[in-house]
Amino acid sequence: MGWGDLGAFGEPSKETPNLDQMAAEGMLFLDFYTANPLCSPSRAALLTGRLPVRNGFYTTNGHARNAYTPQDIVGGIPDSELLLPELLKKAGYTNKIIGKWHLGHRPQFHPLKHGFDEWFGSPNCHFGPYDNRDRPNIPLYRDWEMIGRYYEDFKIDLKTGEANLTQLYLQEALDFISKQQASQQPFFLYWAIDATHAPVYASKQFLGTSQRGLYGDAVREIDDSVGKILKHLQQLGISENTFVFFTSDNGAALISAPKQGGSNGPFLCGKQTTFEGGMREPAIAWWPGHIPAGGVSHQLGSVMDLFSTSLSLAGLQPPSDRQIDGIDLLPVILQGKLIDRPIFYYRGNELMAVRAGLYKAHYWTWSNSWEEHGKGIDFCPGQSVAGVTTHTQEEHTYLPLLFHLGRDPGEKYPLSFASEEYQRAVEHISGLVQQHKASLVPGQPQLNVCDQAVMNWSPPGCEKLGKCLKPPKSDPKKCSWPH
């Protein structure tokens, strides 16, 4: 979902009344970032509080390649990483994930092995349908076992865009919250819906209801669901004891535009890129009785901060035996403070850019290759900026491209190299980069090896359903990452 997809962030059709109300009752973050411009690395960062280059969710197969977790990937979240739900268990929390996991689909990477007590959802995205011979359809799980597959038992109509998955995910959330409230059990719910990811879908009652087409229908259904979850918390009398945060894992995928791509507002490019449109996200914090209504923060925030903030709320300290990149946002949210910190924009194994204050320095630029661009793959449609949205990987290490995001949020006008403003800002940011790189210990890359034999052929529970498929012979290969 993009920064510009919500009415509270200026989307003109104003079709997100519940999220807009959430913002009016809580705090809007205008400068909030994901840790990667792609789904699985950013989700790994959210749950570990660590950059993907530290937690292993990156590839070294080609410089600065975005890599994610398709079903033939061999890797996943390492046992050495401590996930938020594992830590919250120590404070007596019951943890549930609803929706997309995307941190590895092999048995050792199962979410219930990494701190979650319950799961209803899928290890991968809802791509397909597949023929179950070259590639299996992707399973949905309830806890330890699969309960069916996308397109077979859980229908997605690619012609009409109809699917009732968001409604299933909503009901799971409401039931889980009711159960925990009845047992007076503290809980962590990670509601990871994916209706706005291509192929975009919405349930029948929302199809055709948006001015924005099918993508807008999906946004409207997500908005409606968030409204029902917040109302449920209020009706159960636990809203003042529940911290809720809404954000996205990466910017809108302009490669899917205009029909299935969202809006990144005034920002450059979208998903896959380290320009603002790829990594700046809509973000809302809500906690009635604690967060002053109508707050707007310019704090530089990150999804990794949700790790540290959640631990703080639970009365826990972050692990001290590893580098944690997230910060505790409670002083920002509750007292209106601003904490000075940089934002690091990674693409694969490369630090592409750094933001400090209102300045952003690009050390590398790249949208996607000329070869891909020639095939119609475009991460910045209609947004070419000479020397910035480059189709070859351009290094600017010795003379970074510098933008002032207050005056130029669209990254269209690099500051003059000769100006005093440039010299001062780059000197400051260069110091932050040196400090960061000096202490960086990259994790073992998890997204380098692919093998068709590890795909979702025979997940646990398949035998009960008669849905086990015969895997091919194991043949590990180096994964290919074109962009």
Side-chain angles (χ1 to χ4, degrees):
M1 190 177 275
W3 192 94
D5 275 330
L6 308 185
F9 285 83
E11 203 290 312
S13 63
K14 301 281 190 212
E15 292 179 347
T16 53
N18 296 288
L19 286 160
D20 298 350
Q21 180 68 21
M22 182 185 180
E25 293 172 4
M27 177 174 277
L28 205 60
F29 283 83
L30 299 180
D31 297 79
F32 194 86
Y33 292 87
T34 184
N36 189 270
L38 212 58
C39 30
S40 37
S42 59
R43 288 159 191 262
L46 164 72
L47 290 175
T48 62
R50 286 154 56 80
L51 285 162
V53 73
R54 295 193 213 273
N55 64 38
F57 266 71
Y58 70 102
T59 181
T60 52
N61 294 357
H63 175 253
R65 287 325 196 260
N66 282 321
Y68 68 107
T69 312
Q71 56 167 330
D72 55 349
I73 203 91
V74 169
I77 194 71
D79 281 342
S80 57
E81 290 298 319
L82 287 170
L83 274 61
L84 177 59
E86 290 178 74
L87 298 166
L88 289 175
K89 265 185 183 296
K90 294 176 182 174
Y93 279 72
T94 299
N95 310 303
K96 180 160 186 162
I97 170 173
I98 297 172
K100 181 168 135 183
W101 167 239
H102 223 186
L103 300 191
H105 54 274
R106 297 170 71 205
Q108 64 265 44
F109 307 127
H110 193 291
L112 270 59
K113 286 199 171 176
H114 293 271
F116 285 101
D117 300 292
E118 298 180 24
W119 181 26
F120 180 81
S122 178
N124 296 84
C125 232
H126 52 277
F127 293 126
Y130 299 118
D131 61 9
N132 284 340
R133 289 187 297 276
D134 293 325
R135 197 163 281 261
N137 277 318
I138 290 165
L140 259 83
Y141 280 77
R142 178 172 294 287
D143 300 332
W144 288 107
E145 297 186 341
M146 73 175 280
I147 52 172
R149 294 183 187 269
Y150 282 133
Y151 298 96
E152 296 171 23
D153 314 278
F154 296 89
K155 306 290 188 200
I156 302 169
D157 188 322
L158 294 183
K159 284 184 184 163
T160 64
E162 185 182 342
N164 71 339
L165 286 163
T166 303
Q167 291 304 307
L168 294 178
Y169 292 151
L170 168 61
Q171 195 56 51
E172 284 288 324
L174 300 177
D175 291 347
F176 174 72
I177 293 166
S178 294
K179 189 171 75 175
Q180 301 317 309
Q181 191 269 341
S183 63
Q184 297 292 295
Q185 183 73 22
F187 65 89
F188 165 53
L189 171 61
Y190 174 34
W191 197 63
I193 66 310
D194 65 354
T196 48
H197 189 300
V200 171
Y201 62 79
S203 57
K204 195 165 193 173
Q205 69 261 42
F206 288 93
L207 287 178
T209 63
S210 166
Q211 296 178 51
R212 306 179 64 201
L214 179 57
Y215 182 87
D217 297 342
V219 170
R220 288 199 67 234
E221 185 167 15
I222 289 170
D223 174 76
D224 181 77
S225 301
V226 171
K228 287 190 166 92
I229 290 170
L230 299 185
K231 190 176 179 186
H232 194 55
L233 292 169
Q234 289 168 322
Q235 287 171 340
L236 291 174
I238 57 173
S239 60
E240 294 200 0
N241 201 24
T242 309
F243 177 81
V244 185
F245 202 96
F246 178 89
T247 190
S248 175
D249 59 353
N250 47 248
L254 301 187
I255 188 174
S256 306
K259 288 195 171 176
Q260 301 213 354
S263 166
N264 295 314
F267 302 121
L268 187 61
C269 300
K271 178 176 178 173
Q272 299 271 14
T273 77
T274 47
F275 300 110
E276 290 298 285
M279 290 182 61
R280 202 189 294 204
E281 305 305 325
I284 305 167
W286 185 86
W287 188 13
H290 299 270
I291 298 174
V296 177
S297 178
H298 285 283
Q299 172 66 44
L300 298 193
S302 163
V303 292
M304 297 180 289
D305 301 342
L306 299 178
F307 175 89
S308 303
T309 306
S310 299
L311 291 177
S312 179
L313 284 162
L316 299 169
Q317 292 293 320
S320 57
D321 64 342
R322 64 200 61 211
Q323 180 73 42
I324 301 296
D325 296 292
I327 63 170
D328 180 3
L329 290 176
L330 287 186
V332 175
I333 293 168
L334 301 179
Q335 297 151 33
K337 291 190 175 174
L338 283 176
I339 300 166
D340 187 26
R341 63 90 72 89
I343 294 291
F344 297 108
Y345 302 69
Y346 269 89
R347 188 162 163 168
N349 56 352
E350 185 58 72
L351 179 61
M352 303 287 284
V354 179
R355 177 175 175 184
L358 287 167
Y359 292 100
K360 180 178 178 183
H362 288 266
Y363 290 88
W364 287 86
T365 52
W366 190 36
S367 56
N368 63 321
S369 68
W370 281 116
E371 183 189 359
E372 284 192 303
H373 192 254
K375 294 175 185 169
I377 298 170
D378 193 352
F379 301 145
C380 312
Q383 286 190 305
S384 178
V385 180
V388 179
T389 55
T390 53
H391 291 293
T392 52
Q393 293 185 9
E394 299 290 336
E395 186 173 5
H396 310 278
T397 303
Y398 300 106
L399 210 56
L401 289 182
L402 186 71
F403 296 91
H404 186 287
L405 295 178
R407 300 193 296 263
D408 176 25
E411 297 170 283
K412 291 181 176 66
Y413 309 105
L415 270 67
S416 164
F417 298 135
S419 67
E420 192 185 322
E421 183 184 11
Y422 176 92
Q423 305 287 343
R424 197 172 56 244
V426 165
E427 187 178 350
H428 173 58
I429 293 175
S430 295
L432 296 172
V433 171
Q434 284 170 359
Q435 198 179 345
H436 171 70
K437 289 193 169 177
S439 65
L440 181 67
V441 180
Q444 188 71 29
Q446 295 296 310
L447 307 178
N448 278 353
V449 181
C450 288
D451 185 351
Q452 285 200 304
V454 307
M455 292 200 289
N456 294 289
W457 300 103
S458 298
C462 67
E463 52 292 317
K464 292 181 191 171
L465 304 172
K467 286 196 170 283
C468 298
L469 301 168
K470 192 172 180 220
K473 194 176 166 195
S474 178
D475 183 21
K477 288 188 168 74
K478 194 174 173 180
C479 301
S480 170
W481 300 109
H483 43 253

